[in-house]
mmCIF file of all heavy atoms in Angstrom:
data_model
loop_
_atom_site.group_PDB
_atom_site.id
_atom_site.type_symbol
_atom_site.label_atom_id
_atom_site.label_comp_id
_atom_site.label_asym_id
_atom_site.label_seq_id
_atom_site.Cartn_x
_atom_site.Cartn_y
_atom_site.Cartn_z
ATOM 1 N N MET A 1 0.635 -106.175 14.247
ATOM 2 C CA MET A 1 0.724 -107.582 13.887
ATOM 3 C C MET A 1 -0.194 -108.404 14.793
ATOM 4 O O MET A 1 -0.360 -108.074 15.963
ATOM 5 C CB MET A 1 2.140 -108.117 14.061
ATOM 6 C CG MET A 1 3.105 -107.776 12.975
ATOM 7 S SD MET A 1 4.714 -108.550 13.272
ATOM 8 C CE MET A 1 4.715 -109.732 11.967
ATOM 9 N N THR A 2 -0.686 -109.466 14.255
ATOM 10 C CA THR A 2 -1.475 -110.381 15.066
ATOM 11 C C THR A 2 -0.552 -111.464 15.628
ATOM 12 O O THR A 2 0.583 -111.657 15.154
ATOM 13 C CB THR A 2 -2.573 -111.055 14.230
ATOM 14 O OG1 THR A 2 -1.945 -111.914 13.266
ATOM 15 C CG2 THR A 2 -3.464 -110.036 13.547
ATOM 16 N N ALA A 3 -1.061 -112.194 16.601
ATOM 17 C CA ALA A 3 -0.285 -113.286 17.187
ATOM 18 C C ALA A 3 0.048 -114.339 16.127
ATOM 19 O O ALA A 3 1.164 -114.884 16.113
ATOM 20 C CB ALA A 3 -1.053 -113.906 18.341
ATOM 21 N N ASP A 4 -0.896 -114.611 15.229
ATOM 22 C CA ASP A 4 -0.648 -115.591 14.164
ATOM 23 C C ASP A 4 0.464 -115.125 13.231
ATOM 24 O O ASP A 4 1.310 -115.916 12.807
ATOM 25 C CB ASP A 4 -1.921 -115.859 13.374
ATOM 26 C CG ASP A 4 -2.948 -116.642 14.189
ATOM 27 O OD1 ASP A 4 -2.542 -117.411 15.080
ATOM 28 O OD2 ASP A 4 -4.152 -116.475 13.917
ATOM 29 N N GLU A 5 0.480 -113.838 12.909
ATOM 30 C CA GLU A 5 1.537 -113.290 12.043
ATOM 31 C C GLU A 5 2.899 -113.369 12.731
ATOM 32 O O GLU A 5 3.908 -113.676 12.097
ATOM 33 C CB GLU A 5 1.215 -111.843 11.675
ATOM 34 C CG GLU A 5 0.018 -111.704 10.762
ATOM 35 C CD GLU A 5 -0.422 -110.262 10.587
ATOM 36 O OE1 GLU A 5 -0.185 -109.421 11.495
ATOM 37 O OE2 GLU A 5 -1.037 -109.970 9.544
ATOM 38 N N ILE A 6 2.909 -113.100 14.017
ATOM 39 C CA ILE A 6 4.165 -113.182 14.773
ATOM 40 C C ILE A 6 4.667 -114.621 14.808
ATOM 41 O O ILE A 6 5.862 -114.886 14.617
ATOM 42 C CB ILE A 6 3.989 -112.599 16.181
ATOM 43 C CG1 ILE A 6 3.762 -111.088 16.095
ATOM 44 C CG2 ILE A 6 5.203 -112.910 17.060
ATOM 45 C CD1 ILE A 6 3.348 -110.436 17.388
ATOM 46 N N MET A 7 3.767 -115.565 15.059
ATOM 47 C CA MET A 7 4.165 -116.979 15.068
ATOM 48 C C MET A 7 4.726 -117.400 13.716
ATOM 49 O O MET A 7 5.729 -118.117 13.650
ATOM 50 C CB MET A 7 2.978 -117.869 15.451
ATOM 51 C CG MET A 7 2.677 -117.883 16.924
ATOM 52 S SD MET A 7 4.066 -118.423 17.953
ATOM 53 C CE MET A 7 4.280 -120.096 17.392
ATOM 54 N N LYS A 8 4.111 -116.946 12.639
ATOM 55 C CA LYS A 8 4.609 -117.281 11.300
ATOM 56 C C LYS A 8 6.016 -116.716 11.104
ATOM 57 O O LYS A 8 6.900 -117.395 10.585
ATOM 58 C CB LYS A 8 3.659 -116.739 10.234
ATOM 59 C CG LYS A 8 4.013 -117.151 8.819
ATOM 60 C CD LYS A 8 2.967 -116.667 7.842
ATOM 61 C CE LYS A 8 3.151 -117.087 6.423
ATOM 62 N NZ LYS A 8 4.434 -117.274 5.882
ATOM 63 N N ALA A 9 6.235 -115.485 11.542
ATOM 64 C CA ALA A 9 7.562 -114.871 11.427
ATOM 65 C C ALA A 9 8.586 -115.643 12.253
ATOM 66 O O ALA A 9 9.719 -115.864 11.815
ATOM 67 C CB ALA A 9 7.503 -113.409 11.869
ATOM 68 N N ILE A 10 8.201 -116.077 13.451
ATOM 69 C CA ILE A 10 9.117 -116.841 14.306
ATOM 70 C C ILE A 10 9.465 -118.170 13.647
ATOM 71 O O ILE A 10 10.632 -118.600 13.672
ATOM 72 C CB ILE A 10 8.495 -117.049 15.706
ATOM 73 C CG1 ILE A 10 8.447 -115.715 16.459
ATOM 74 C CG2 ILE A 10 9.278 -118.084 16.511
ATOM 75 C CD1 ILE A 10 7.652 -115.753 17.761
ATOM 76 N N GLU A 11 8.489 -118.819 13.061
ATOM 77 C CA GLU A 11 8.730 -120.104 12.391
ATOM 78 C C GLU A 11 9.690 -119.955 11.217
ATOM 79 O O GLU A 11 10.424 -120.888 10.896
ATOM 80 C CB GLU A 11 7.402 -120.701 11.924
ATOM 81 C CG GLU A 11 6.533 -121.194 13.064
ATOM 82 C CD GLU A 11 5.124 -121.546 12.634
ATOM 83 O OE1 GLU A 11 4.780 -121.395 11.441
ATOM 84 O OE2 GLU A 11 4.345 -121.968 13.520
ATOM 85 N N GLU A 12 9.713 -118.791 10.593
ATOM 86 C CA GLU A 12 10.593 -118.560 9.443
ATOM 87 C C GLU A 12 12.013 -118.161 9.852
ATOM 88 O O GLU A 12 12.909 -118.135 9.010
ATOM 89 C CB GLU A 12 9.983 -117.487 8.543
ATOM 90 C CG GLU A 12 8.688 -117.944 7.879
ATOM 91 C CD GLU A 12 7.977 -116.839 7.124
ATOM 92 O OE1 GLU A 12 8.444 -115.680 7.140
ATOM 93 O OE2 GLU A 12 6.922 -117.138 6.517
ATOM 94 N N MET A 13 12.232 -117.874 11.137
ATOM 95 C CA MET A 13 13.570 -117.484 11.610
ATOM 96 C C MET A 13 14.470 -118.710 11.706
ATOM 97 O O MET A 13 14.005 -119.827 11.894
ATOM 98 C CB MET A 13 13.482 -116.884 13.022
ATOM 99 C CG MET A 13 12.846 -115.561 13.123
ATOM 100 S SD MET A 13 12.809 -115.097 14.883
ATOM 101 C CE MET A 13 11.949 -113.554 14.754
ATOM 102 N N ASP A 14 15.787 -118.467 11.619
ATOM 103 C CA ASP A 14 16.707 -119.554 11.912
ATOM 104 C C ASP A 14 16.797 -119.705 13.435
ATOM 105 O O ASP A 14 16.363 -118.831 14.192
ATOM 106 C CB ASP A 14 18.087 -119.314 11.271
ATOM 107 C CG ASP A 14 18.808 -118.134 11.858
ATOM 108 O OD1 ASP A 14 18.440 -117.000 11.495
ATOM 109 O OD2 ASP A 14 19.727 -118.345 12.678
ATOM 110 N N ASN A 15 17.320 -120.824 13.874
ATOM 111 C CA ASN A 15 17.317 -121.164 15.291
ATOM 112 C C ASN A 15 18.031 -120.119 16.151
ATOM 113 O O ASN A 15 17.570 -119.777 17.234
ATOM 114 C CB ASN A 15 17.944 -122.550 15.509
ATOM 115 C CG ASN A 15 17.611 -123.110 16.862
ATOM 116 O OD1 ASN A 15 16.460 -123.033 17.292
ATOM 117 N ND2 ASN A 15 18.592 -123.673 17.526
ATOM 118 N N GLY A 16 19.139 -119.580 15.683
ATOM 119 C CA GLY A 16 19.884 -118.574 16.444
ATOM 120 C C GLY A 16 19.058 -117.316 16.700
ATOM 121 O O GLY A 16 19.091 -116.747 17.793
ATOM 122 N N GLU A 17 18.318 -116.906 15.693
ATOM 123 C CA GLU A 17 17.468 -115.723 15.845
ATOM 124 C C GLU A 17 16.302 -115.995 16.795
ATOM 125 O O GLU A 17 15.898 -115.129 17.559
ATOM 126 C CB GLU A 17 16.948 -115.252 14.491
ATOM 127 C CG GLU A 17 17.985 -114.526 13.666
ATOM 128 C CD GLU A 17 18.506 -113.273 14.346
ATOM 129 O OE1 GLU A 17 17.703 -112.430 14.781
ATOM 130 O OE2 GLU A 17 19.739 -113.127 14.431
ATOM 131 N N ARG A 18 15.760 -117.204 16.766
ATOM 132 C CA ARG A 18 14.679 -117.555 17.707
ATOM 133 C C ARG A 18 15.175 -117.505 19.145
ATOM 134 O O ARG A 18 14.495 -116.993 20.033
ATOM 135 C CB ARG A 18 14.125 -118.947 17.398
ATOM 136 C CG ARG A 18 13.032 -118.958 16.389
ATOM 137 C CD ARG A 18 12.302 -120.284 16.365
ATOM 138 N NE ARG A 18 13.148 -121.397 15.995
ATOM 139 C CZ ARG A 18 13.333 -121.810 14.742
ATOM 140 N NH1 ARG A 18 12.731 -121.211 13.750
ATOM 141 N NH2 ARG A 18 14.115 -122.838 14.501
ATOM 142 N N ILE A 19 16.380 -118.030 19.375
ATOM 143 C CA ILE A 19 16.952 -118.012 20.731
ATOM 144 C C ILE A 19 17.176 -116.571 21.174
ATOM 145 O O ILE A 19 16.867 -116.203 22.314
ATOM 146 C CB ILE A 19 18.247 -118.839 20.774
ATOM 147 C CG1 ILE A 19 17.908 -120.322 20.595
ATOM 148 C CG2 ILE A 19 19.004 -118.602 22.079
ATOM 149 C CD1 ILE A 19 19.104 -121.206 20.375
ATOM 150 N N LYS A 20 17.713 -115.740 20.288
ATOM 151 C CA LYS A 20 17.923 -114.318 20.604
ATOM 152 C C LYS A 20 16.595 -113.646 20.951
ATOM 153 O O LYS A 20 16.498 -112.897 21.930
ATOM 154 C CB LYS A 20 18.582 -113.631 19.413
ATOM 155 C CG LYS A 20 18.911 -112.186 19.627
ATOM 156 C CD LYS A 20 19.599 -111.618 18.386
ATOM 157 C CE LYS A 20 19.821 -110.140 18.507
ATOM 158 N NZ LYS A 20 20.454 -109.583 17.301
ATOM 159 N N LEU A 21 15.549 -113.937 20.176
ATOM 160 C CA LEU A 21 14.228 -113.376 20.427
ATOM 161 C C LEU A 21 13.684 -113.815 21.778
ATOM 162 O O LEU A 21 13.144 -113.011 22.537
ATOM 163 C CB LEU A 21 13.257 -113.769 19.315
ATOM 164 C CG LEU A 21 11.803 -113.357 19.530
ATOM 165 C CD1 LEU A 21 11.674 -111.839 19.572
ATOM 166 C CD2 LEU A 21 10.913 -113.949 18.461
ATOM 167 N N LEU A 22 13.819 -115.102 22.093
ATOM 168 C CA LEU A 22 13.337 -115.597 23.383
ATOM 169 C C LEU A 22 14.027 -114.891 24.544
ATOM 170 O O LEU A 22 13.387 -114.524 25.537
ATOM 171 C CB LEU A 22 13.543 -117.112 23.484
ATOM 172 C CG LEU A 22 12.600 -117.963 22.655
ATOM 173 C CD1 LEU A 22 13.029 -119.425 22.706
ATOM 174 C CD2 LEU A 22 11.170 -117.806 23.133
ATOM 175 N N ASN A 23 15.330 -114.698 24.431
ATOM 176 C CA ASN A 23 16.064 -113.981 25.486
ATOM 177 C C ASN A 23 15.572 -112.540 25.614
ATOM 178 O O ASN A 23 15.398 -112.035 26.734
ATOM 179 C CB ASN A 23 17.565 -114.007 25.205
ATOM 180 C CG ASN A 23 18.170 -115.356 25.451
ATOM 181 O OD1 ASN A 23 17.724 -116.106 26.316
ATOM 182 N ND2 ASN A 23 19.197 -115.693 24.690
ATOM 183 N N MET A 24 15.336 -111.883 24.487
ATOM 184 C CA MET A 24 14.851 -110.501 24.518
ATOM 185 C C MET A 24 13.452 -110.422 25.132
ATOM 186 O O MET A 24 13.169 -109.533 25.946
ATOM 187 C CB MET A 24 14.848 -109.920 23.104
ATOM 188 C CG MET A 24 16.232 -109.717 22.533
ATOM 189 S SD MET A 24 16.237 -109.336 20.769
ATOM 190 C CE MET A 24 15.448 -107.751 20.741
ATOM 191 N N LEU A 25 12.567 -111.356 24.765
ATOM 192 C CA LEU A 25 11.218 -111.377 25.332
ATOM 193 C C LEU A 25 11.265 -111.615 26.839
ATOM 194 O O LEU A 25 10.543 -110.969 27.600
ATOM 195 C CB LEU A 25 10.371 -112.460 24.660
ATOM 196 C CG LEU A 25 9.943 -112.176 23.229
ATOM 197 C CD1 LEU A 25 9.336 -113.425 22.609
ATOM 198 C CD2 LEU A 25 8.969 -111.012 23.183
ATOM 199 N N PHE A 26 12.124 -112.532 27.268
ATOM 200 C CA PHE A 26 12.256 -112.797 28.699
ATOM 201 C C PHE A 26 12.711 -111.541 29.434
ATOM 202 O O PHE A 26 12.123 -111.157 30.446
ATOM 203 C CB PHE A 26 13.236 -113.949 28.948
ATOM 204 C CG PHE A 26 13.482 -114.206 30.403
ATOM 205 C CD1 PHE A 26 12.541 -114.882 31.160
ATOM 206 C CD2 PHE A 26 14.637 -113.760 31.017
ATOM 207 C CE1 PHE A 26 12.748 -115.120 32.516
ATOM 208 C CE2 PHE A 26 14.852 -113.989 32.366
ATOM 209 C CZ PHE A 26 13.908 -114.667 33.121
ATOM 210 N N ASP A 27 13.754 -110.893 28.926
ATOM 211 C CA ASP A 27 14.278 -109.693 29.572
ATOM 212 C C ASP A 27 13.232 -108.576 29.646
ATOM 213 O O ASP A 27 13.126 -107.883 30.654
ATOM 214 C CB ASP A 27 15.521 -109.183 28.833
ATOM 215 C CG ASP A 27 16.713 -110.126 28.996
ATOM 216 O OD1 ASP A 27 16.704 -110.952 29.925
ATOM 217 O OD2 ASP A 27 17.644 -110.031 28.163
ATOM 218 N N CYS A 28 12.460 -108.410 28.591
ATOM 219 C CA CYS A 28 11.501 -107.303 28.528
ATOM 220 C C CYS A 28 10.192 -107.568 29.259
ATOM 221 O O CYS A 28 9.604 -106.646 29.827
ATOM 222 C CB CYS A 28 11.184 -106.979 27.072
ATOM 223 S SG CYS A 28 12.537 -106.224 26.191
ATOM 224 N N TYR A 29 9.719 -108.807 29.253
ATOM 225 C CA TYR A 29 8.348 -109.045 29.706
ATOM 226 C C TYR A 29 8.185 -110.064 30.833
ATOM 227 O O TYR A 29 7.156 -110.056 31.502
ATOM 228 C CB TYR A 29 7.482 -109.504 28.530
ATOM 229 C CG TYR A 29 7.409 -108.460 27.444
ATOM 230 C CD1 TYR A 29 8.096 -108.629 26.253
ATOM 231 C CD2 TYR A 29 6.684 -107.293 27.633
ATOM 232 C CE1 TYR A 29 8.040 -107.660 25.262
ATOM 233 C CE2 TYR A 29 6.622 -106.319 26.652
ATOM 234 C CZ TYR A 29 7.305 -106.517 25.466
ATOM 235 O OH TYR A 29 7.254 -105.558 24.502
ATOM 236 N N PHE A 30 9.153 -110.954 31.051
ATOM 237 C CA PHE A 30 8.916 -112.060 31.964
ATOM 238 C C PHE A 30 9.865 -112.125 33.151
ATOM 239 O O PHE A 30 9.630 -112.904 34.076
ATOM 240 C CB PHE A 30 8.960 -113.393 31.210
ATOM 241 C CG PHE A 30 7.943 -113.452 30.111
ATOM 242 C CD1 PHE A 30 8.327 -113.299 28.789
ATOM 243 C CD2 PHE A 30 6.614 -113.624 30.399
ATOM 244 C CE1 PHE A 30 7.386 -113.333 27.770
ATOM 245 C CE2 PHE A 30 5.654 -113.658 29.390
ATOM 246 C CZ PHE A 30 6.053 -113.510 28.077
ATOM 247 N N ASP A 31 10.923 -111.355 33.151
ATOM 248 C CA ASP A 31 11.903 -111.398 34.240
ATOM 249 C C ASP A 31 11.432 -110.508 35.377
ATOM 250 O O ASP A 31 11.469 -109.290 35.277
ATOM 251 C CB ASP A 31 13.270 -110.939 33.727
ATOM 252 C CG ASP A 31 14.370 -111.142 34.741
ATOM 253 O OD1 ASP A 31 14.101 -111.736 35.795
ATOM 254 O OD2 ASP A 31 15.500 -110.712 34.467
ATOM 255 N N SER A 32 11.004 -111.111 36.460
ATOM 256 C CA SER A 32 10.487 -110.334 37.589
ATOM 257 C C SER A 32 11.496 -110.230 38.736
ATOM 258 O O SER A 32 11.153 -109.773 39.816
ATOM 259 C CB SER A 32 9.181 -110.951 38.101
ATOM 260 O OG SER A 32 9.416 -112.260 38.553
ATOM 261 N N ARG A 33 12.724 -110.658 38.487
ATOM 262 C CA ARG A 33 13.752 -110.563 39.531
ATOM 263 C C ARG A 33 14.143 -109.098 39.714
ATOM 264 O O ARG A 33 14.110 -108.308 38.769
ATOM 265 C CB ARG A 33 14.994 -111.354 39.127
ATOM 266 C CG ARG A 33 14.741 -112.841 39.013
ATOM 267 C CD ARG A 33 15.960 -113.548 38.509
ATOM 268 N NE ARG A 33 16.171 -113.150 37.109
ATOM 269 C CZ ARG A 33 17.126 -113.601 36.340
ATOM 270 N NH1 ARG A 33 17.990 -114.465 36.807
ATOM 271 N NH2 ARG A 33 17.244 -113.206 35.088
ATOM 272 N N PRO A 34 14.543 -108.720 40.937
ATOM 273 C CA PRO A 34 15.008 -107.345 41.142
ATOM 274 C C PRO A 34 16.331 -107.118 40.404
ATOM 275 O O PRO A 34 17.061 -108.063 40.114
ATOM 276 C CB PRO A 34 15.199 -107.251 42.654
ATOM 277 C CG PRO A 34 15.270 -108.645 43.146
ATOM 278 C CD PRO A 34 14.552 -109.510 42.160
ATOM 279 N N SER A 35 16.626 -105.858 40.135
ATOM 280 C CA SER A 35 17.861 -105.533 39.418
ATOM 281 C C SER A 35 19.086 -105.829 40.289
ATOM 282 O O SER A 35 18.999 -105.903 41.514
ATOM 283 C CB SER A 35 17.863 -104.058 39.027
ATOM 284 O OG SER A 35 17.940 -103.261 40.204
ATOM 285 N N LYS A 36 20.218 -105.985 39.634
ATOM 286 C CA LYS A 36 21.473 -106.245 40.344
ATOM 287 C C LYS A 36 21.776 -105.109 41.320
ATOM 288 O O LYS A 36 22.214 -105.345 42.446
ATOM 289 C CB LYS A 36 22.604 -106.401 39.333
ATOM 290 C CG LYS A 36 23.938 -106.698 39.948
ATOM 291 C CD LYS A 36 25.008 -106.861 38.879
ATOM 292 C CE LYS A 36 26.360 -107.109 39.508
ATOM 293 N NZ LYS A 36 27.408 -107.221 38.496
ATOM 294 N N GLU A 37 21.518 -103.876 40.901
ATOM 295 C CA GLU A 37 21.785 -102.720 41.753
ATOM 296 C C GLU A 37 20.930 -102.754 43.019
ATOM 297 O O GLU A 37 21.412 -102.452 44.108
ATOM 298 C CB GLU A 37 21.539 -101.416 40.989
ATOM 299 C CG GLU A 37 22.524 -101.157 39.865
ATOM 300 C CD GLU A 37 22.197 -101.940 38.596
ATOM 301 O OE1 GLU A 37 21.049 -102.396 38.431
ATOM 302 O OE2 GLU A 37 23.116 -102.115 37.770
ATOM 303 N N LEU A 38 19.668 -103.126 42.882
ATOM 304 C CA LEU A 38 18.781 -103.203 44.036
ATOM 305 C C LEU A 38 19.232 -104.293 44.998
ATOM 306 O O LEU A 38 19.247 -104.092 46.220
ATOM 307 C CB LEU A 38 17.337 -103.446 43.590
ATOM 308 C CG LEU A 38 16.292 -103.540 44.701
ATOM 309 C CD1 LEU A 38 16.245 -102.230 45.487
ATOM 310 C CD2 LEU A 38 14.931 -103.856 44.135
ATOM 311 N N ILE A 39 19.639 -105.428 44.482
ATOM 312 C CA ILE A 39 20.128 -106.518 45.327
ATOM 313 C C ILE A 39 21.363 -106.076 46.089
ATOM 314 O O ILE A 39 21.480 -106.312 47.300
ATOM 315 C CB ILE A 39 20.412 -107.773 44.485
ATOM 316 C CG1 ILE A 39 19.109 -108.343 43.937
ATOM 317 C CG2 ILE A 39 21.165 -108.827 45.298
ATOM 318 C CD1 ILE A 39 19.293 -109.441 42.916
ATOM 319 N N GLN A 40 22.297 -105.401 45.407
ATOM 320 C CA GLN A 40 23.514 -104.927 46.070
ATOM 321 C C GLN A 40 23.193 -103.906 47.151
ATOM 322 O O GLN A 40 23.775 -103.933 48.235
ATOM 323 C CB GLN A 40 24.471 -104.333 45.040
ATOM 324 C CG GLN A 40 25.094 -105.379 44.156
ATOM 325 C CD GLN A 40 25.928 -104.784 43.039
ATOM 326 O OE1 GLN A 40 25.699 -103.659 42.609
ATOM 327 N NE2 GLN A 40 26.867 -105.558 42.542
ATOM 328 N N LYS A 41 22.254 -103.014 46.877
ATOM 329 C CA LYS A 41 21.858 -101.997 47.855
ATOM 330 C C LYS A 41 21.243 -102.658 49.091
ATOM 331 O O LYS A 41 21.549 -102.281 50.224
ATOM 332 C CB LYS A 41 20.870 -101.025 47.203
ATOM 333 C CG LYS A 41 20.551 -99.823 48.031
ATOM 334 C CD LYS A 41 19.656 -98.865 47.249
ATOM 335 C CE LYS A 41 19.369 -97.618 48.050
ATOM 336 N NZ LYS A 41 18.523 -96.683 47.328
ATOM 337 N N GLU A 42 20.376 -103.649 48.893
ATOM 338 C CA GLU A 42 19.752 -104.342 50.013
ATOM 339 C C GLU A 42 20.770 -105.118 50.830
ATOM 340 O O GLU A 42 20.701 -105.156 52.066
ATOM 341 C CB GLU A 42 18.638 -105.263 49.514
ATOM 342 C CG GLU A 42 17.431 -104.513 49.018
ATOM 343 C CD GLU A 42 16.356 -105.420 48.435
ATOM 344 O OE1 GLU A 42 16.580 -106.647 48.330
ATOM 345 O OE2 GLU A 42 15.286 -104.883 48.089
ATOM 346 N N LYS A 43 21.745 -105.745 50.166
ATOM 347 C CA LYS A 43 22.795 -106.464 50.890
ATOM 348 C C LYS A 43 23.640 -105.500 51.717
ATOM 349 O O LYS A 43 24.017 -105.803 52.842
ATOM 350 C CB LYS A 43 23.683 -107.241 49.921
ATOM 351 C CG LYS A 43 23.044 -108.511 49.422
ATOM 352 C CD LYS A 43 24.014 -109.297 48.557
ATOM 353 C CE LYS A 43 23.383 -110.586 48.096
ATOM 354 N NZ LYS A 43 24.305 -111.378 47.279
ATOM 355 N N ALA A 44 23.931 -104.335 51.152
ATOM 356 C CA ALA A 44 24.706 -103.334 51.889
ATOM 357 C C ALA A 44 23.929 -102.864 53.113
ATOM 358 O O ALA A 44 24.504 -102.684 54.196
ATOM 359 C CB ALA A 44 25.044 -102.151 50.984
ATOM 360 N N LYS A 45 22.620 -102.671 52.984
ATOM 361 C CA LYS A 45 21.785 -102.277 54.126
ATOM 362 C C LYS A 45 21.821 -103.330 55.212
ATOM 363 O O LYS A 45 21.925 -103.018 56.398
ATOM 364 C CB LYS A 45 20.339 -102.057 53.687
ATOM 365 C CG LYS A 45 19.943 -100.638 53.536
ATOM 366 C CD LYS A 45 18.450 -100.550 53.278
ATOM 367 C CE LYS A 45 18.089 -99.149 52.875
ATOM 368 N NZ LYS A 45 16.686 -99.005 52.559
ATOM 369 N N LEU A 46 21.721 -104.598 54.829
ATOM 370 C CA LEU A 46 21.765 -105.678 55.810
ATOM 371 C C LEU A 46 23.110 -105.712 56.530
ATOM 372 O O LEU A 46 23.179 -105.939 57.732
ATOM 373 C CB LEU A 46 21.511 -107.026 55.136
ATOM 374 C CG LEU A 46 20.085 -107.308 54.698
ATOM 375 C CD1 LEU A 46 20.031 -108.587 53.860
ATOM 376 C CD2 LEU A 46 19.169 -107.446 55.900
ATOM 377 N N PHE A 47 24.177 -105.490 55.779
ATOM 378 C CA PHE A 47 25.517 -105.551 56.351
ATOM 379 C C PHE A 47 25.824 -104.331 57.211
ATOM 380 O O PHE A 47 26.348 -104.452 58.314
ATOM 381 C CB PHE A 47 26.548 -105.681 55.223
ATOM 382 C CG PHE A 47 27.945 -105.859 55.728
ATOM 383 C CD1 PHE A 47 28.349 -107.068 56.244
ATOM 384 C CD2 PHE A 47 28.855 -104.811 55.678
ATOM 385 C CE1 PHE A 47 29.652 -107.239 56.715
ATOM 386 C CE2 PHE A 47 30.150 -104.967 56.139
ATOM 387 C CZ PHE A 47 30.545 -106.198 56.668
ATOM 388 N N TRP A 48 25.494 -103.127 56.741
ATOM 389 C CA TRP A 48 25.881 -101.895 57.416
ATOM 390 C C TRP A 48 24.771 -101.301 58.275
ATOM 391 O O TRP A 48 24.985 -100.339 58.980
ATOM 392 C CB TRP A 48 26.309 -100.841 56.387
ATOM 393 C CG TRP A 48 27.526 -101.259 55.625
ATOM 394 C CD1 TRP A 48 27.565 -101.668 54.344
ATOM 395 C CD2 TRP A 48 28.874 -101.320 56.111
ATOM 396 N NE1 TRP A 48 28.852 -101.992 53.974
ATOM 397 C CE2 TRP A 48 29.671 -101.763 55.050
ATOM 398 C CE3 TRP A 48 29.472 -101.032 57.331
ATOM 399 C CZ2 TRP A 48 31.043 -101.956 55.182
ATOM 400 C CZ3 TRP A 48 30.838 -101.207 57.461
ATOM 401 C CH2 TRP A 48 31.613 -101.672 56.383
ATOM 402 N N GLY A 49 23.570 -101.813 58.172
ATOM 403 C CA GLY A 49 22.459 -101.257 58.946
ATOM 404 C C GLY A 49 21.575 -100.387 58.064
ATOM 405 O O GLY A 49 21.693 -100.386 56.851
ATOM 406 N N ASN A 50 20.709 -99.640 58.693
ATOM 407 C CA ASN A 50 19.721 -98.838 57.955
ATOM 408 C C ASN A 50 20.229 -97.470 57.511
ATOM 409 O O ASN A 50 19.458 -96.688 56.972
ATOM 410 C CB ASN A 50 18.442 -98.657 58.799
ATOM 411 C CG ASN A 50 17.673 -99.965 58.904
ATOM 412 O OD1 ASN A 50 17.756 -100.799 58.021
ATOM 413 N ND2 ASN A 50 16.943 -100.125 59.988
ATOM 414 N N GLU A 51 21.465 -97.158 57.748
ATOM 415 C CA GLU A 51 22.004 -95.860 57.323
ATOM 416 C C GLU A 51 22.059 -95.796 55.802
ATOM 417 O O GLU A 51 22.306 -96.772 55.136
ATOM 418 C CB GLU A 51 23.416 -95.656 57.876
ATOM 419 C CG GLU A 51 23.457 -95.612 59.388
ATOM 420 C CD GLU A 51 24.896 -95.478 59.882
ATOM 421 O OE1 GLU A 51 25.758 -95.083 59.078
ATOM 422 O OE2 GLU A 51 25.136 -95.763 61.047
ATOM 423 N N GLU A 52 21.794 -94.617 55.271
ATOM 424 C CA GLU A 52 21.905 -94.420 53.824
ATOM 425 C C GLU A 52 23.365 -94.491 53.414
ATOM 426 O O GLU A 52 24.251 -93.980 54.070
ATOM 427 C CB GLU A 52 21.329 -93.061 53.415
ATOM 428 C CG GLU A 52 19.836 -93.035 53.385
ATOM 429 C CD GLU A 52 19.245 -93.956 52.318
ATOM 430 O OE1 GLU A 52 19.767 -93.956 51.178
ATOM 431 O OE2 GLU A 52 18.292 -94.662 52.639
ATOM 432 N N ILE A 53 23.599 -95.100 52.275
ATOM 433 C CA ILE A 53 24.979 -95.257 51.773
ATOM 434 C C ILE A 53 25.172 -94.344 50.586
ATOM 435 O O ILE A 53 24.358 -94.177 49.770
ATOM 436 C CB ILE A 53 25.266 -96.727 51.393
ATOM 437 C CG1 ILE A 53 25.139 -97.566 52.630
ATOM 438 C CG2 ILE A 53 26.588 -96.872 50.741
ATOM 439 C CD1 ILE A 53 25.238 -99.064 52.373
#
């Protein structure tokens, strides 16, 4: 698909589907935050020291 074809498809969606699509695109391509598991592991390291858990 081309970008123009994708835009046309998005314009034809109802609002709920557009919001769902935006959330999916964000999760797949734009969210650069570390995972929840990585954050928890780093917090545990800070709290308990450098020992492996």
Side-chain angles (χ1 to χ4, degrees):
M1 281 183 111
T2 67
D4 290 332
E5 292 171 333
I6 292 170
M7 282 302 297
K8 186 176 184 328
I10 290 171
E11 289 169 359
E12 293 173 357
M13 290 178 183
D14 66 283
N15 197 44
E17 284 299 309
R18 272 194 298 270
I19 291 170
K20 183 178 174 181
L21 174 64
L22 286 173
N23 287 328
M24 292 169 66
L25 288 170
F26 176 77
D27 291 341
C28 290
Y29 299 106
F30 301 104
D31 188 6
S32 61
R33 296 175 292 182
S35 67
K36 181 179 178 182
E37 292 80 19
L38 180 61
I39 293 171
Q40 289 174 334
K41 189 175 182 180
E42 289 176 355
K43 283 185 178 181
K45 258 187 190 178
L46 287 171
F47 185 75
W48 296 107
N50 289 332
E51 297 177 18
E52 283 295 316
I53 298 173

